[in-house]
Amino acid sequence: MTFKAPRGTKDIFGDDIFLWQEVEKILRGICERFCVSEIRTPVFEQTELFQRGVGETTDIVTKEMYILEKKGSESVTLKPEGTAGAARAFVENSMYAQPQPTKLYYITPAFRYERPQAGRQRQFHQFGVEIFGSYDSSCDAEAISIAYETLNRIGIQNIELRINSLGGNQCRKKYNKILKDFIGNNIDSLCEDCQERFEKNPLRVLDCKNEKCKKVIENAPSVIECLDGECSAHFEALKKNLDNMSIPYVVDSKIVRGLDYYTRTVFEFVSNEIGSQGTVCGGGRYDNLISECGGPQTGAVGFAMGLERIMMLVKSQELIKTKGRNVDIYIGSIGDEGFLKAQSIGFELRKAGINAEYDTLKRSVKAQLKYANKIDAKYSIVIGESEINNDKVMLKDMRESSQKEIKLSSLKEMLIQLMN
Ligand code: HAM
């Protein structure tokens, strides 16, 4: 019997894992610089958290959730995104009682039952940042600046920041009515999903990728025109903040995002180099989610990036050179005694912080050195009976193809010197 990874999932290993680790290092470094601390929440949560948080009318909740077979009394679901879990944790752990803002980041797998294609998987990974505790547009700008600097630091080229404001509840109500009137008699021309959305959440029609729907809403009125004074001022202040940090953006009134929790600011970073799934990062403000989760009314804003999409760009734009396995020394051996010495020295070196590898397959010396070459070891030695008896060994510099005789007993000190 052989097994395959489930459709829409991928193993990450070999050269790829070095790229992932390198990118993760950049993400963690950025968060440290922006004073954002990590949070790790469970990979599954109560199903109701996502239904209420992400929204009953979203594709995620209606079609894509991995709801686990009931274990015990409650229904639980694999997280389709990171925001709801972070919001739940903020409330449950009374983080709102601490001095604000609370700035959290996560690197997490997420699960959506979608049709897999390039840049769209059923298990994928998100890097997300959530900032709780402020309604001020400077926090929206702060979140955007973190995403912007992350993409910049990774080196991603040709990516556009698109921003929009969906306003507050009142603006949304007003806009939904105007949009419904606009679509009016054309409702039959909408796709099946949008016909349903038209009733429950007309705004989402703007987001539809279906050509027929796109045509219907081509000249739809802009949501920005329906913003009340406060929401409009918030959006203007955000633009001023972005200008202040020289972060380029375009205003795109068609951006509404696929999740229900957004209020006011929404934004996306989009690339046109990775096919139809070009949204590398999405986010926005969600001032009602914390209270929806049972906490006090609290301003919140954040974003999440799809790491698979980032990796596609890292590879196609050849952005990161990894060091690979980074083996300092390969310790070859001859015979049983040689092996035991290689093992004890190898362990000593590893404890001293040196990346050491030795043969555990009992291969010939020739095969061992071929392997040392393959794993790109910087140095190699071969230990046999005479090296042990005479306390002498040839230290070979694999890159320079040069070698010198040293005392076996001073190998550790020698290597520590060489590595520094
Ligand atoms: P989202 O737009 O659903 O937003 O997802 C964020 C990013 O995750 C997308 O832009 C995309 O890069 C990636 N992504 C989503 N679905 C998939 C998939 N099936 N395969 C590969 N990548 C995918 C959210 O999840 C919000 N929680 C973002 C947020 C945080 N808003 C505020 N705070």
Side-chain angles (χ1 to χ4, degrees):
M1 177 97 186
T2 54
F3 297 99
K4 278 185 173 168
R7 194 162 127 75
T9 69
K10 276 196 182 135
D11 301 313
I12 308 167
F13 65 101
D15 289 345
D16 279 355
I17 203 71
F18 294 121
L19 274 186
W20 278 77
Q21 288 170 346
E22 217 43 53
V23 167
E24 284 169 14
K25 219 187 280 172
I26 295 174
L27 304 180
R28 292 181 194 284
I30 293 270
C31 286
E32 206 174 332
R33 227 153 303 132
F34 282 81
C35 309
V36 185
S37 1
E38 185 175 2
I39 183 163
R40 299 186 189 189
T41 63
V43 93
F44 59 87
E45 297 272 359
Q46 284 174 282
T47 302
E48 209 184 331
L49 172 69
F50 301 120
Q51 287 167 338
R52 291 177 66 119
V54 176
E56 297 279 8
T57 67
T58 60
D59 285 353
I60 294 178
V61 168
T62 54
K63 302 183 203 156
E64 297 168 3
M65 292 219 293
Y66 277 93
I67 302 174
L68 301 186
E69 206 181 308
K70 228 173 187 179
K71 295 259 181 284
S73 60
E74 61 183 9
S75 169
V76 292
T77 293
L78 295 182
K79 56 165 103 161
E81 53 102 57
T83 310
R88 193 265 312 135
F90 178 81
V91 175
E92 186 175 350
N93 298 294
S94 309
M95 290 185 214
Y96 50 80
Q98 302 296 322
Q100 300 302 320
T102 302
K103 294 162 58 169
L104 303 172
Y105 83 90
Y106 46 82
I107 299 173
T108 181
F111 307 84
R112 295 182 193 177
Y113 185 72
E114 294 192 85
R115 197 171 49 77
Q117 64 180 94
R120 190 162 75 193
Q121 295 182 193
R122 290 179 174 174
Q123 174 172 343
F124 58 101
H125 296 79
Q126 284 188 337
F127 161 59
V129 169
E130 314 294 351
I131 305 178
F132 300 114
S134 170
Y135 294 96
D136 199 83
S137 56
S138 59
C139 256
D140 309 43
E142 165 109 329
I144 291 174
S145 72
I146 298 173
Y148 177 79
E149 178 55 9
T150 301
L151 298 168
N152 190 38
R153 188 55 64 100
I154 295 171
I156 292 174
Q157 308 285 318
N158 308 327
I159 198 146
E160 189 173 78
L161 166 62
R162 300 178 186 164
I163 63 169
N164 189 20
S165 176
L166 304 178
N169 293 345
Q170 291 312 316
C171 317
R172 192 88 56 90
K173 235 184 229 167
K174 188 169 151 199
Y175 182 66
N176 279 347
K177 186 171 175 326
I178 291 177
L179 190 60
K180 271 186 160 178
D181 288 347
F182 175 82
I183 295 173
N185 298 335
N186 287 324
I187 181 164
D188 291 340
S189 314
L190 298 176
C191 73
E192 228 172 85
D193 282 345
C194 281
Q195 292 193 13
E196 213 171 293
R197 285 175 189 143
F198 180 80
E199 289 308 326
K200 294 185 188 151
N201 192 357
L203 201 69
R204 292 286 322 285
V205 178
L206 291 186
D207 204 23
C208 187
K209 302 286 178 283
N210 185 304
E211 288 305 323
K212 281 194 303 183
C213 302
K214 274 190 186 168
K215 201 150 180 53
V216 173
I217 49 100
E218 210 169 18
N219 297 313
S222 155
V223 57
I224 294 171
E225 283 155 25
C226 293
L227 298 184
D228 63 20
E230 273 183 41
C231 290
S232 186
H234 189 272
F235 194 49
E236 287 310 311
L238 168 65
K239 290 194 272 182
K240 196 169 166 193
N241 277 259
L242 293 177
D243 291 338
N244 191 41
M245 289 186 278
S246 305
I247 296 176
Y249 58 85
V250 293
V251 174
D252 179 348
S253 63
K254 292 273 185 327
I255 294 210
V256 295
R257 315 267 308 118
L259 301 92
D260 276 355
Y261 46 59
Y262 292 111
T263 50
R264 294 190 167 168
T265 310
V266 284
F267 61 90
E268 291 182 350
F269 285 85
V270 184
S271 161
N272 57 15
E273 293 181 12
I274 48 171
S276 63
Q277 303 302 308
T279 309
V280 167
C281 172
R285 174 162 283 285
Y286 49 97
D287 290 341
N288 299 323
L289 185 60
I290 296 298
S291 57
E292 271 293 317
C293 293
Q297 192 63 44
T298 305
V301 58
F303 67 82
M305 291 183 184
L307 291 182
E308 278 73 11
R309 295 182 194 178
I310 298 277
M311 291 304 164
M312 286 165 82
L313 287 164
V314 164
K315 283 187 187 171
S316 68
Q317 297 183 358
E318 295 178 25
L319 300 177
I320 295 175
K321 295 267 169 293
T322 61
K323 281 199 248 124
R325 250 197 281 197
N326 198 17
V327 179
D328 294 326
I329 183 163
Y330 185 84
I331 308 164
S333 59
I334 308 168
D336 288 346
E337 231 182 300
F339 168 74
L340 288 173
K341 191 72 181 170
Q343 185 183 50
S344 61
I345 289 183
F347 192 42
E348 276 307 305
L349 295 180
R350 286 167 172 175
K351 285 193 286 186
I354 291 161
N355 305 340
E357 183 63 303
Y358 53 85
D359 177 60
T360 48
L361 298 178
K362 308 280 153 75
R363 283 176 283 210
S364 69
V365 172
K366 194 172 162 210
Q368 289 182 44
L369 291 177
K370 208 169 148 193
Y371 181 71
N373 245 325
K374 184 158 171 34
I375 61 174
D376 207 18
K378 292 187 197 101
Y379 294 92
S380 71
I381 57 171
V382 178
I383 304 176
E385 223 171 287
S386 82
E387 281 77 12
I388 298 170
N389 293 339
N390 303 323
D391 189 24
K392 281 187 181 144
V393 72
M394 294 305 283
L395 178 68
K396 186 171 175 191
D397 184 324
M398 305 284 283
R399 312 244 160 105
E400 307 278 318
S401 290
S402 61
Q403 54 183 3
K404 62 177 172 188
E405 193 177 73
I406 61 160
K407 281 179 131 189
L408 187 53
S409 53
S410 60
L411 176 68
K412 185 165 90 182
E413 284 67 37
M414 185 84 182
L415 283 172
I416 289 174
Q417 247 179 35
L418 285 169
M419 295 308 148
N420 290 321

